[in-house]
Amino acid sequence: MVNPQNPQDIEAGRARWQERYDAARKRDADFTTLSGREVDPVYGPPEGAEVPGFERIGWPGEFPFTRGLHPTGYRGRAWTIRQFAGFGNAVQTNERYKMILESGGGGLSVAFDMPTLMGYDSDDPHALGEVGHCGVAIDSVADMEVLFDGIPLGDITTSMTISGPAIPAFCMYLAAAERQGADTSALNGTLQTDIFKEYIAQKEWLYPPEPHLRLIGDLMEYCAENIPAFKPLSVSGYHIREAGATAAQELAFTLADGFGYVELGLSRGLDVNRFAPGLSFFFDAHIDFFEEIAKFRAARRIWARWMRDEYGATSEKAQWLRFHTQTAGVSLTAQQPYNNVVRTAVEALSAILGGTNSLHTNALDETLALPTEQSAEIALRTQQVLLEETGVVNVADPLGGSYYVEALTDRIEADAEAVFDKIRRMGGGADAEHPIGPMTSGILAGIENGWFSSEIAESAFQYQQALEKDEKRIVGVNRNTSTVSGEVEILRISHEVEREQKRALARRRAERDQAAVDTALARLLTAVRDPGRPNLIPVILDAARAEATMGEICATMGREFGTYTEDPRF
């Protein structure tokens, strides 16, 4: 490998970048400054300069992708504006989706309510009082049909934030697309499916880890074979960070989880160059502006190197870390909520300067309730102002080469590598015998012994202490607390939503072919128990087509998979 510290090598890299940039498609847009000044699409060291360690920085579109995946940056394609939304029933959420799309949103991101996230139907006793309150209630394919009514699934990318019952939700989505007449083999979107982060941070699992990993492996195989553009896994650091992790912990735990899923694919005999492009990531953009930018840049570099050197990926796309970003919900304050507009804009800008591929901006009132239509529009317009008015899309990785940003990037990378070593040691080391792989072994050990949870709890405690000692400051909370602002109007979900959802579910049960449902669920239980471990996706899909409900499908698998209880630790 050449050493780009050499001026000749740096210039050779610049020439390679120029050739790829010239060959790439660019958007038809004005890339001059507000004053009309022409700017270059990328900046680097002056000709003839020697830059120690430049191979770790490089050029956009080249390994290790510190400066971005594409030589054009956002001149080629801007990030996807993908606003996360879901509340009440499918009719109400469908209306919000249409508002987002008509206002310039580029993709949809589905928020499910708590009963759905836990695999319960809306009429289950566990669902009482929770239906439609933190997302949309989805009980069967019929709800999915209403959710996307008038929205052609073959033409739009959809992200679904659900992990425990992700596979039944995915099958309902496929069945709804079939009923629209869409070519399901061409569907494009993302399913979260990340069960590791549930045990680590969010705590929304259905079964023990091993059955969940079986389902995820089945999904990876199914998508690779049948829906190649669809991404079956979005490895999530967002919930880890929201639980109290530091930036370095968020990065390290998330990438370790990603390596575990790579090992899962390899253990299934899948070609890493084929399945790895189907893995995507989901990060938090917190309020420390430069630390977040460094985190995103380090993430791409670490992932590219590990995919190449540890897992044998030879194609660029298999080495790419693609990621969605959401601004930090935990940074929003109930006090002086209009300040949250500023926080969200700063966080969104850090994600953009860090090279995010898609972005959700939180609404000012989300710390109080689900966003109103007005606050959702402000959140959307925040992204559009950044895109259209600020000039941040004109230059690829404009902070590349900054002494501060590069030092932060290196430091976060080093911290993450130390965590990877710790996780693998917990699992018995790099040579540990495990049917999936050594990183997976360490992750499962860390889940079982409570290490991840205790590390996050300690970080959250230290931050809270710093707040109470006035070492860390939040405007409106422990600084500048006087205000002339009144209370904001918040969105309230009527209890009638739950009552109507239960009535609709009862009607569907009465009208469906119960014999077909019983047969489909019996076939599913047989497949789950089959020692040959057949792929469960087609069987779950048949159950969804028959209008089996989320609760019925999940409970059927649970008869064999069992449940999981986390040991309490203090």
Side-chain angles (χ1 to χ4, degrees), residues 196 200 213 251-264 266 302-303 306 310-311 416-447 451-452:
F196 283 144
I200 290 172
L213 290 175
L251 176 62
F253 295 174
T254 307
L255 294 190
D257 290 349
F259 298 145
Y261 295 125
V262 172
E263 292 176 351
L264 177 61
L266 292 172
I302 294 168
W303 184 256
W306 274 68
E310 296 285 334
Y311 299 116
E417 290 289 346
V419 173
F420 301 150
D421 289 342
K422 171 72 173 177
I423 293 172
R424 293 221 281 195
R425 287 197 304 273
M426 283 193 297
D431 298 324
E433 292 186 6
H434 187 276
I436 296 178
M439 189 66 81
T440 303
S441 179
I443 293 168
L444 293 176
I447 290 168
W451 181 78
F452 289 106

Side-chain angles (χ1 to χ4, degrees), residues 3 12 96 353 396-397 481 560:
N3 180 1
R96 177 64 60 87
L353 292 176
D397 189 34
T481 54
E560 177 64 20

Side-chain angles (χ1 to χ4, degrees), residues 304-456:
R305 188 179 65 254
W306 274 68
M307 290 303 294
R308 184 190 68 180
D309 298 344
E310 296 285 334
Y311 299 116
T314 56
S315 75
E316 281 194 346
K317 287 188 176 181
Q319 298 168 0
W320 284 354
L321 183 140
R322 303 170 186 79
F323 68 96
H324 170 75
T325 310
Q326 181 172 339
T327 56
V330 74
S331 74
L332 305 179
T333 64
Q335 301 93 326
Q336 301 181 25
Y338 292 107
N339 296 346
N340 294 331
V341 177
V342 181
R343 294 186 179 102
T344 295
V346 170
E347 292 163 359
L349 184 57
S350 76
I352 294 162
L353 292 176
T356 192
N357 302 106
S358 66
L359 179 61
H360 164 89
T361 33
N362 288 328
L364 67 94
D365 51 359
E366 284 191 67
T367 191
L368 300 166
L370 294 166
T372 63
E373 191 170 80
Q374 182 183 38
S375 67
E377 182 180 80
I378 292 170
L380 175 63
R381 294 289 184 248
T382 300
Q383 291 202 49
Q384 291 167 334
V385 168
L386 291 171
L387 173 64
E388 303 293 352
E389 298 183 30
T390 64
V392 294
V393 297
N394 292 353
V395 177
D397 189 34
L399 295 179
S402 155
Y403 294 122
Y404 181 38
V405 170
E406 299 300 350
L408 272 177
T409 303
D410 290 347
R411 177 61 184 272
I412 290 176
E413 179 181 16
D415 290 347
E417 290 289 346
V419 173
F420 301 150
D421 289 342
K422 171 72 173 177
I423 293 172
R424 293 221 281 195
R425 287 197 304 273
M426 283 193 297
D431 298 324
E433 292 186 6
H434 187 276
I436 296 178
M439 189 66 81
T440 303
S441 179
I443 293 168
L444 293 176
I447 290 168
E448 190 63 31
N449 65 27
W451 181 78
F452 289 106
S453 295
S454 64
E455 289 289 294
I456 294 171

